[in-house]
Amino acid sequence: GEVLELIPLQPDRVRIEPLNDSYTNFRYIYKDMTGTERRISRTSMFHLKGLSSNGITGINPIEAEAESIGVGLAAQDYAGRFFSNNGAPGGWIEHPGNFKDTDKRRDFIESWRQQQTGSNRHKTAVLEYGMKYHEMTVNNKDMQFLESRKYQDGDIARIFRVPPHKIGLLDRATFSNIE
């Protein structure tokens, strides 16, 4: 009965096998890297469960908070694309007529992108045939997505019970609450 060592097992390779209908008696089945299954009794397993809905298996924090994590990733992706465009949302071009065919339209779009991106950004554009450029603008209120990113970081830290100051969120930090 003396514990000699604790061997960590990968949680995704462990499943619980009930030995009766009410789950009051069960054992663990562990599948190793070769695919061999080992049966482990409850008394031989030290099971660290997270938050649990049934008292037997813990809820994976990543699955439980997938939406918060997904929103954070989407905001990060959007911010990356937005700032790679110099923080400008772009615009649209009004053409009073029609292009002769889709190839002419595609050629115009490609030419415009080459003239207005990279080192050519913010240079004077010349439009022909009565075309008009309409710039889209973003006001400070609409830029609030940056605030939302900060709150997503706090939500994810909260899942793992990490204090905000440990991940660099110092907005509400004081000497007393960090201590």
Side-chain angles (χ1 to χ4, degrees):
E2 183 180 331
V3 176
L4 300 176
E5 63 182 330
L6 291 174
I7 303 170
L9 302 178
Q10 292 182 343
D12 59 329
R13 295 176 182 253
V14 179
R15 66 181 164 78
I16 293 177
E17 179 181 62
L19 299 176
N20 61 19
D21 292 339
S22 63
Y23 269 89
T24 56
N25 194 10
F26 56 88
R27 65 180 166 197
Y28 298 93
I29 298 178
Y30 178 70
K31 186 184 278 191
D32 64 18
M33 287 191 281
T34 64
T36 306
E37 288 187 350
R38 276 184 23 219
R39 283 162 177 61
I40 305 169
S41 70
R42 276 177 71 181
T43 57
S44 297
M45 175 76 80
F46 178 56
H47 184 175
L48 290 172
K49 297 176 235 174
L51 183 63
S52 177
S53 60
N54 61 10
I56 299 170
T57 56
I59 297 172
N60 181 337
I62 304 298
E63 290 173 8
E65 296 295 329
E67 190 169 331
S68 287
I69 293 168
V71 168
L73 289 172
Q76 179 177 332
D77 180 56
Y78 178 80
R81 285 184 283 115
F82 183 78
F83 288 114
S84 71
N85 196 29
N86 289 335
W92 54 280
I93 297 172
E94 179 182 352
H95 189 316
N98 293 321
F99 288 98
K100 291 182 183 176
D101 56 31
T102 55
D103 288 337
K104 294 284 184 195
R105 179 185 171 116
R106 194 176 308 118
D107 290 345
F108 172 76
I109 292 170
E110 186 58 36
S111 168
W112 178 262
R113 286 185 180 148
Q114 286 177 357
Q115 292 174 24
Q116 296 300 312
T117 58
S119 63
N120 294 325
R121 185 113 181 108
H122 302 298
K123 289 191 177 176
T124 305
V126 176
L127 295 172
E128 302 176 40
Y129 310 113
M131 293 182 191
K132 295 179 187 173
Y133 180 76
H134 299 275
E135 185 176 3
M136 294 171 54
T137 59
V138 178
N139 61 33
N140 288 337
K141 183 180 176 190
D142 294 335
M143 292 285 293
Q144 289 285 326
F145 77 91
L146 293 175
E147 276 299 302
S148 73
R149 290 192 64 212
K150 179 174 55 175
Y151 291 117
Q152 293 303 320
D153 291 343
D155 281 348
I156 294 169
R158 200 173 301 113
I159 296 168
F160 298 102
R161 303 185 68 77
V162 174
H165 69 273
K166 297 264 186 184
I167 61 166
L169 295 178
L170 302 173
D171 296 2
R172 298 185 194 157
T174 65
F175 289 113
S176 61
N177 69 10
I178 288 180
E179 186 179 343

